[in-house]
Amino acid sequence: MTQPAGPSRPTVRSVRIERRGGLAGLAVSATHDYVALSAAQQQALAQVIEAAASHGPARVRGAPAGPAPGADRLSYRLHVQYSAGVEQVLDVSDDAMPSVLESLAKPSLP
């Protein structure tokens, strides 16, 4: 499900998801082509983008104003690349991150 192109809705090309925090405080980053995402992942990404548009330019409802309380809390930063070369950066709290997108930034264990 590719988003319709146009002045208000450019086409998403890729998304990089950074996960920070957790018990060890390790940062994990993963980049995915939009067309390689499942329909559920594409829909969840569209919902996060819509939430950011209605709650502020770079925040999603539930995102803390400062550092998350508790050392083991996770936070996410999504870098959404559009076909026009524009990047949108979204900060998403652990509570607001859809699990279907969260799984894209899980560390791979040896």
Side-chain angles (χ1 to χ4, degrees):
M1 174 173 131
T2 302
Q3 294 179 349
S8 63
R9 285 204 142 189
T11 303
V12 175
R13 188 177 69 203
S14 66
V15 62
R16 185 175 82 220
I17 302 175
E18 298 173 5
R19 188 188 85 173
R20 300 182 209 153
L23 187 59
L26 299 175
V28 176
S29 178
T31 302
H32 302 275
D33 288 333
Y34 182 77
V35 295
L37 300 178
S38 70
Q41 291 166 333
Q42 290 177 1
Q43 183 177 13
L45 179 60
Q47 290 171 348
V48 168
I49 292 169
E50 291 291 325
S54 64
H55 292 98
R59 297 181 62 104
V60 175
R61 185 171 48 99
D72 61 344
R73 297 279 312 215
L74 297 174
S75 64
Y76 298 87
R77 177 165 282 171
L78 280 64
H79 299 262
V80 182
Q81 288 284 332
Y82 294 95
S83 58
V86 176
E87 179 180 85
Q88 181 180 17
V89 179
L90 307 168
D91 290 319
V92 183
S93 71
D94 191 23
D95 296 337
M97 184 68 164
S99 60
V100 70
L101 291 178
E102 179 183 356
S103 65
L104 293 174
K106 294 232 186 226
S108 56
L109 301 174

